[in-house]
Structures are given as structure tokens and as C-alpha cells.
Amino acid sequence: MSDAGTGTTGAGWFTPVAAGVQPVDLNIEVPHPARMYDYYLGGKENFPADRETAEQAIAAFPNTRNAARQNRAFLVRAVRHLVGEVGIHQFLDIGTGIPTSPNLHEVAQGIAPDTRVVYADNDPTVLALH
Ligand SMILES: C[S@@+](CC[C@H](N)C(=O)[O-])C[C@H]1O[C@@H](n2cnc3c(N)ncnc32)[C@H](O)[C@@H]1O
């Protein structure tokens, strides 16, 4: 995981304290599904426990990394179609996951800059990285 915006406070890694927001204990010794998914995608928001468990999943299911990347590729194709051909300029991305590039708003606003995107996720670790 990149160190940008994170820090340690004795017991472990915590997210930064923005105004009115409680820090999130990232609990980096325990593999986290969203950070494992980030690892499959080649992201940097993951720790050794995430990577080790992700590699075990890949060993058991060799298509795991490809499936994650094809999932993202589908998102890009679908958003390009919806913005460019259907004319949709508002999106609600539920279960957005850890930010990755290109993310939905980057694809959509690359075609129609006025496109608005709301990202939603119920995982505090994911929300802390948005
Ligand atoms: C595999 S990630 C998918 C990331 C991204 N949407 C993609 O397709 O690449 C699934 C995400 O859904 C979130 N999630 C699961 N159940 C949810 C719920 N009931 N409400 C909101 N988010 C949820 C998880 O926290 C996780 O970040």
C-alpha cells in the first residue's frame, strides 16, 4: 500500500484523520478481500498478508487475476457505451472497491466531462481510500 495519507499510531496502520472522520484500523496482518482484489489488478493498495493470500487463491484458481482484470475491462466498455452511445451522464457505482485506474469517473468524464459519479461501498477500508 502506498504510504500516502496513512500512518502508524502505535498498534498498527490507520487511515488519516480527516475532519469529523474516525480513523480506520487497516489491520494489515489480516488479508482483506478488497486489497486482494487490488493486488489482482496490479494496484499498490495492498500489504504482504493480502498478497500472500491472493497468491494462494491464484494457485488454487489460476484464472483469478484474469477474471478481475476482465471484470474491470467490462466496466470500461460498458461505461463507454452508456456515456458515448446512450447518453447517460450520471452513475451510482455501488460496491466500487479500492480506487483503481481507470476508474468509472475517468472513463465517463473522458467522453463527457459533465458526467457525475457517486461511489458507494460498505467497507470502511475502501471508503478511507476514496
Ligand atoms: C470485488 S469488489 C468490486 C470492485 C469494483 N466494483 C469492480 O468491479 O472492479 C466488491 C466491492 O463491493 C463491496 N460491497 C459488498 N457488499 C456491499 C454492499 N452490500 N454495499 C456496498 N458495497 C458492498 C465490497 O466492500 C467490495 O469493495
Side-chain angles (χ1 to χ4, degrees):
M1 171 178 276
S2 90
D3 288 353
T6 58
T8 56
T9 59
W13 283 77
F14 287 79
T15 55
V17 183
V21 177
Q22 290 297 313
V24 175
D25 183 352
L26 296 176
N27 206 8
I28 66 170
E29 305 302 329
V30 177
H32 187 283
R35 296 194 305 246
M36 290 168 59
Y37 186 74
D38 176 73
Y39 177 72
Y40 299 143
L41 295 176
K44 296 179 180 173
E45 306 294 342
N46 50 73
F47 291 94
D50 307 313
R51 295 192 282 272
E52 287 164 16
T53 306
E55 286 295 342
Q56 290 174 11
I58 292 167
F61 303 100
N63 201 35
T64 299
R65 181 177 274 132
N66 183 47
R69 292 178 178 182
Q70 289 301 319
N71 184 44
R72 292 303 303 182
F74 171 76
L75 180 146
V76 170
R77 291 196 303 277
V79 170
R80 281 191 185 135
H81 173 74
L82 291 170
V83 176
E85 298 175 39
V86 182
I88 292 174
H89 290 191
Q90 291 183 327
F91 289 85
L92 173 57
D93 184 347
I94 301 174
T96 184
I98 290 172
T100 190
S101 187
N103 220 331
L104 199 161
H105 74 279
E106 295 171 317
V107 177
Q109 292 173 354
I111 300 168
D114 67 330
T115 302
R116 300 179 71 167
V117 179
V118 172
Y119 290 109
D121 203 289
N122 68 350
D123 185 322
T125 297
V126 169
L127 295 179
L129 294 167
H130 272 272

